[in-house]
Amino acid sequence: MAVVDSHSYAVLEQGQIKHVNLDIAVELAARLMRIRADYQLDHPVDGPLHLDSSGQAITKIYSRSHPIEWKMDAAEPIVGQRLRLMDLRGAQDFTIEFTTSPEASALQWLEPVQTAGGQHPFVYSQCQAIHARSLFPCQDSPGVRFTYEARVRVPNHLRAVMAAAPLGVEHEGDQDVYSFRMPQPIPAYLFAIAAGDLRFKEIGPRTGIYAEPSMLEAAAWEFEENERKIIEAEKLFGPYLWDRYDLLILPPSFPYGGMENPRLTFLTPTAVTGDRSTTTLISHELAHSWTGNLVTNATWDDFWLNEGWTSYAEARISEIVEGDEIARMTCIINHDLLKEDIQEYGWESPHTCLKDSLKGLNPDLMVSNVPYHKGRLFLTRLEQAVGRGAFDPFIHRYIATHQFGSLTTEGFVEFLRKELPAAVEKVDIETWIYQPGLPADCPVFTSKLYDDLMARIAAYAGGVLPAREEARNWHYVQKRMFLRLLPAKIPVEDCRKLEEIFGIEPGGNLRVVYEFYRLAIRSGYKEALPGIEEWVGRVGRHAFLTPLFRGMTETDWTRRLARPMFESVRPRHHPITVAAVEDVLKGAGV
Ligand code: BES
Ligand code: ZN
């Protein structure tokens, strides 16, 4: 059955892009990239070719010096513009010369003050889910893969990086030209580029860090264990096929915790905490090297195949790296967060099904715990049905069979039926995938650490708070869980004490600080306000900012503060984050 991707104009029967050669001049003052892109198709094409694009100013399109007639359709709000190459007349390659729009949704252009160093501008891309089309016209559907080469011209005080192999740099007056090659075929959403005042430090045989100079040493220490994680992940999934695993530490406005750009995970600076407590974030992005980057969801309706598998892997790696107790407590928290999201959508909502239908919707705004954690629970259920002795070899076969390919949910089920029939007999696959809410046989996790915390909560009801010396030494997962387990509203005096006990500061562990501020808002603890104001300015991750603002709209004393507070930090944030918060504020009528 032909795969239908409702978020792309590409018609795969017309021909598929296999390789792109890009010549990119980064013009920071004008906030645009001037690009010449040479495309190679899988076969000579007679007739039209439709590409996804968004906002580019095209100067010309030609094939071996013969002009190609083209037409750009009007922009649709979410999917952008269809670019029609009217007739390729048997050509197998063609060239497009264009500039990106200063509003290109894939790019964020930062002023020096928005960076760690404060001296130089910075630009970075975020293409997932459907922003690659605003960078260069392409078949922006996760089912299409291509390799690429690129030459990137930047002013010589900046360094360019890409999620590709760096080949070297040539100096040309006050400009530097960096060359890259991506030998492994990728879907467009994994195309990634950045430029800024960046340095590199090697931390292992195939791992290293790119960061602004002031962040480099701290980040190198924080992520020293990356090689060990690759080794663990290889045991679970098979060999790491992307050669290197480097990290790029971005400025604070990066809208995600991490983005699994192949060979070069893009990472929030909030992950550099000085205590290696954000290790699950790396486990997650690294795991995408297999689940997502090697085996890719065919459409955004199958997003759970990327994120559910990756969350499952993240939990398996966490078991080894952080131990069983912490891993299980994290599963309990994530189950809670999942239930909150299901509640928010409604238990009968189609968006609580693993296989979703996002036609006409912006996939960025549909990222919830459903694909991540309902997906993870489904895979855990399958694992429990047959035991790891059978499930682990299945994982290897799953990856090896589909590597460098894409898969629909239906393709996954077919593979499951064939390769793991015992699981299909025991688990109601149809309900798990196509029904809303949570199935009755949903795995439940227990943990001794969790029980200990429940005892603390009982003690709190009797008036006893944890001792400062002890609580400060808790794992951040314990702190986070304790704050979640407290009653929704507590006396202001207790908020004040907890702030001191846990040493809450806007720059502290994001998940702990977030839970505290949510509690402070619900409890009417007004002294937290300056901290919250600072926090919403320095944290760019929309997965935290959005629910915090939602919390503000749901509480009387903060409701009228939400809009002005957001407006004061809006210019600092990424358009993805701005859109997500805006969606929540408008939805709440503020
Ligand atoms: N690929 C996602 C980020 C993403 C999802 C970008 C959808 C665009 C659209 C990444 O792997 C991710 O899941 N990041 C999480 C962190 C993770 C530990 C749950 C995030 O940023 O919060
Ligand atoms: Zn992910």
Side-chain angles (χ1 to χ4, degrees):
M1 208 172 68
V3 175
V4 180
D5 178 357
S6 63
H7 291 102
S8 173
Y9 289 118
V11 182
L12 303 188
E13 296 71 37
Q14 292 174 337
Q16 292 193 31
I17 295 168
K18 283 290 153 201
H19 184 81
V20 188
N21 262 319
L22 296 140
D23 215 83
I24 303 174
V26 180
E27 299 191 7
L28 291 124
R31 301 195 157 203
L32 56 81
M33 294 190 185
R34 196 172 295 282
I35 301 180
R36 198 192 71 229
D38 303 316
Y39 300 78
Q40 288 163 25
L41 296 163
D42 59 345
H43 60 74
V45 171
D46 257 316
L49 185 76
H50 295 172
L51 300 177
D52 294 299
S53 69
S54 178
Q56 290 89 351
I58 292 181
T59 32
K60 50 181 167 176
I61 306 184
Y62 51 94
S63 176
R64 317 232 159 157
S65 71
H66 298 294
I68 292 172
E69 206 187 318
W70 56 274
K71 210 177 121 207
M72 184 77 101
D73 287 1
E76 293 292 327
I78 294 163
V79 289
Q81 293 166 283
R82 183 193 283 110
L83 171 61
R84 300 168 189 262
L85 310 197
M86 303 307 271
D87 190 355
L88 282 176
R89 291 198 227 155
Q92 193 168 350
D93 41 39
F94 61 92
T95 300
I96 307 183
E97 293 181 14
F98 60 95
T99 54
T100 58
S101 154
E103 270 74 55
S105 60
L107 296 173
Q108 196 185 18
W109 302 88
L110 298 174
E111 298 295 331
V113 293
Q114 293 171 291
T115 66
Q119 301 298 312
H120 299 288
F122 201 109
V123 59
Y124 68 88
S125 67
Q126 166 58 44
C127 287
Q128 194 182 13
I130 54 170
H131 302 291
R133 64 194 61 183
S134 72
L135 244 172
F136 60 109
C138 57
Q139 293 175 315
D140 195 5
S141 176
V144 180
R145 279 176 193 268
F146 56 90
T147 53
Y148 69 85
E149 276 158 71
R151 284 163 51 82
V152 183
R153 179 181 296 270
V154 291
N156 60 12
H157 50 272
L158 301 187
R159 174 179 191 147
V161 294
M162 290 191 85
L167 299 180
V169 56
E170 290 158 37
H171 308 288
E172 290 181 12
D174 60 355
Q175 310 254 301
D176 283 349
V177 181
Y178 290 83
S179 300
F180 302 92
R181 182 171 57 225
M182 188 58 187
Q184 291 96 353
I186 55 149
Y189 82 90
L190 293 175
F191 184 89
I193 183 168
D197 181 15
L198 293 168
R199 303 287 146 82
F200 177 72
K201 184 167 176 163
E202 198 85 41
I203 54 171
R206 46 187 167 167
T207 57
I209 308 283
Y210 292 90
E212 289 189 65
S214 66
M215 295 286 287
L216 191 63
E217 289 306 321
W221 181 84
E222 193 87 36
F223 304 116
E224 215 170 75
E225 288 170 357
N226 283 1
E227 172 64 23
R228 178 170 165 227
K229 290 209 170 130
I230 302 177
I231 294 170
E232 289 308 330
E234 285 184 312
K235 289 184 199 155
L236 193 58
F237 288 132
Y240 182 75
L241 296 180
W242 304 92
D243 308 323
R244 289 199 59 88
Y245 184 70
D246 294 321
L247 300 179
L248 171 66
I249 313 297
L250 288 154
S253 69
F254 185 58
Y256 295 101
M259 175 63 214
E260 66 272 23
N261 296 315
R263 290 166 169 263
L264 184 64
T265 282
F266 281 26
L267 205 68
T268 170
T270 62
V272 185
T273 45
D275 58 4
R276 296 190 178 161
S277 65
T278 51
T279 146
T280 53
L281 188 57
I282 303 294
S283 308
H284 181 97
E285 303 313 332
L286 171 65
H288 272 305
S289 306
W290 291 265
T291 51
N293 299 3
L294 273 189
V295 184
T296 307
N297 49 209
T299 77
W300 299 112
D301 291 349
D302 308 297
F303 186 50
W304 79 273
L305 281 177
N306 274 17
E307 297 299 346
W309 267 109
T310 300
S311 301
Y312 172 82
E314 176 194 325
R316 291 287 301 266
I317 297 169
S318 169
E319 235 178 78
I320 296 156
V321 178
E322 301 184 284
D324 211 29
E325 276 292 325
I326 293 293
R328 268 185 295 160
M329 191 139 79
T330 306
C331 288
I332 297 174
I333 299 180
N334 287 333
H335 197 140
D336 251 35
L337 293 170
L338 169 62
K339 282 192 286 193
E340 279 175 18
D341 280 0
I342 296 181
Q343 188 73 31
E344 185 79 24
Y345 278 129
W347 283 81
E348 291 301 321
S349 161
H351 300 308
T352 68
C353 301
L354 283 182
K355 172 86 181 194
D356 207 339
S357 175
L358 302 181
K359 188 170 181 184
L361 299 172
N362 178 350
D364 291 341
L365 299 181
M366 301 309 292
V367 178
S368 79
N369 282 295
V370 172
Y372 288 76
H373 294 296
K374 186 174 174 181
R376 173 181 57 81
L377 288 165
F378 174 44
L379 295 166
T380 306
R381 178 69 193 95
L382 296 174
E383 175 211 285
Q384 289 176 350
V386 295
R388 286 190 179 173
F391 197 66
D392 288 359
F394 166 78
I395 301 178
H396 278 260
R397 291 201 301 281
Y398 172 61
I399 302 289
T401 308
H402 301 99
Q403 65 183 34
F404 297 112
S406 64
L407 202 61
T408 59
T409 301
E410 291 66 32
F412 170 76
V413 171
E414 197 183 308
F415 187 74
L416 188 69
R417 283 189 199 287
K418 194 161 99 235
E419 294 286 329
L420 210 60
V424 182
E425 261 166 43
K426 291 188 189 139
V427 182
D428 182 354
I429 309 291
E430 291 293 315
T431 299
W432 268 99
I433 294 180
Y434 297 105
Q435 295 300 316
L438 281 176
D441 63 343
C442 188
V444 175
F445 291 85
T446 56
S447 134
K448 198 185 147 307
L449 277 182
Y450 179 80
D451 297 341
D452 289 351
L453 284 178
M454 287 307 278
R456 306 256 177 197
I457 295 297
Y460 172 77
V464 184
L465 283 168
R468 181 182 189 274
E469 300 67 45
E470 190 193 7
R472 290 238 174 151
N473 285 328
W474 284 356
H475 190 283
Y476 88 89
V477 171
Q478 285 169 290
K479 296 182 191 166
R480 179 183 175 203
M481 190 77 202
F482 179 81
L483 291 168
R484 286 185 69 78
L485 287 170
L486 284 169
K489 247 176 147 166
I490 61 171
V492 164
E493 187 47 39
D494 288 350
C495 289
R496 193 174 293 124
K497 285 184 191 153
L498 285 169
E499 187 171 27
E500 207 279 322
I501 289 171
F502 288 121
I504 301 290
E505 281 173 44
N509 181 294
L510 192 68
R511 294 173 194 272
V512 177
V513 174
Y514 164 78
E515 290 298 344
F516 179 77
Y517 288 155
R518 290 282 310 242
L519 179 66
I521 290 168
R522 290 191 307 258
S523 304
Y525 178 50
K526 301 203 165 81
E527 288 158 50
L529 208 53
I532 297 176
E533 269 163 353
E534 183 183 335
W535 190 84
V536 300
R538 66 195 276 172
V539 169
R541 294 180 65 178
H542 91 73
F544 290 86
L545 226 45
T546 310
L548 187 101
F549 276 106
R550 182 181 296 119
M552 287 185 75
T553 64
E554 287 165 355
T555 313
D556 283 346
W557 76 280
T558 45
R559 191 174 157 80
R560 61 182 177 78
L561 301 177
R563 175 56 75 179
M565 192 186 285
F566 177 57
E567 291 306 326
S568 73
V569 296
R570 177 200 279 268
R572 288 189 228 177
H573 289 303
H574 191 285
I576 290 178
T577 300
V578 171
V581 175
E582 199 48 75
D583 199 45
V584 158
L585 294 184
K586 283 219 182 89
V590 307

